[in-house]
Amino acid sequence: VSTASCDDLTSCSPAQCRDSSEPDCTFDTKVPDWITALQTELTCKTCTVSTNSRCSAALSAARTNATGSSIQAIYCNDEYLIVAASGLPDSYDAGQSAPNELYLKGIPLPPGGGQGCRVRSAAAQLNVFKIPLSPTALADGASNTLPSPLPGVPGMPEAGAVAVAIDGVPMFPNYNNRGRFAWVSCEVDRCNAHSGRGEDYHYHGDFFGTKCLYSEADYGSDVDNTHPPQIG
């Protein structure tokens, strides 16, 4: 098990990266009204309660008890695991004050927000993930081609999450939206994450570290022989 992390670094970006001098972007992102949203989007109906082991494992692993947890609701029916989350880790502090910070201001070259500014902030989102409990393989001859793949990376989507972490934060590919590795592009924080133009915080790599999703402490006393914890 590797114990390497970016805890002692400004970010997980390479040391050769140069800091952008462009100012922080400013946004007028509204705080989601989760109660109204869930009441509007969800309708009551009779469902079969899932007995799928994947459901119980996901419910057990989800970080729902932390103060300020991103996960607003998580449940299963007989077909899907549904996760509703704000996308902000429980450690997020909008003022970026230590020790509760996301290190967004330490990213050398954060994603551009247009008009000569860089995104160094995050805001709560309305994210809902619907994950099949029993995925099925495509039939022979069926296409699995994505309609909008990343440039030069046909197996990855141009935008959007490919998974969700146990803290409710979206997990994107290692690539940015230009088809380049996000960390090589100097645009990730200490937890291999950043925010896009919608102030949508998301991971682009391994979020390992004492102030990230998981750390060496999650492996127990026998670090060399313990299976990695479930992270998503």
Side-chain angles (χ1 to χ4, degrees), residues 74-122:
I74 179 170
Y75 61 95
C76 294
N77 57 27
D78 57 331
E79 294 183 85
Y80 298 99
L81 164 67
I82 293 91
V83 181
S86 70
L88 289 178
D90 56 8
S91 62
Y92 182 63
D93 172 33
Q96 304 285 293
S97 58
N100 299 318
E101 54 189 335
L102 283 184
Y103 312 114
L104 289 172
K105 294 188 183 300
I107 300 175
L109 190 63
Q115 300 179 352
C117 66
R118 296 284 169 177
V119 182
R120 299 183 179 93
S121 59

Side-chain angles (χ1 to χ4, degrees), residues 137-197:
L138 286 173
D140 290 343
S143 173
N144 194 31
T145 303
L146 294 170
S148 298
L150 273 172
V153 192
M156 290 294 176
E158 184 177 19
V162 294
V164 58
I166 60 172
D167 60 352
V169 177
M171 298 166 64
F172 279 45
N174 296 118
Y175 305 93
N176 60 22
N177 60 358
R178 301 185 305 281
R180 301 173 182 174
F181 286 116
W183 74 275
V184 174
S185 299
C186 307
E187 56 186 50
V188 294
D189 65 8
R190 292 188 192 181
C191 298
N192 273 305
H194 66 205
S195 291
R197 294 187 180 186

Side-chain angles (χ1 to χ4, degrees), residues 1-4 208 214-216 219 222-229:
V1 173
S2 172
T3 58
F208 180 85
Y214 75 110
S215 67
E216 187 178 354
Y219 286 86
D222 189 7
V223 175
D224 293 332
N225 298 300
T226 302
H227 191 279

Side-chain angles (χ1 to χ4, degrees), residues 25-31 121 123-124 197-199:
C25 296
T26 57
F27 299 92
D28 186 25
T29 305
K30 306 298 182 183
V31 177
S121 59
R197 294 187 180 186
E199 288 191 293

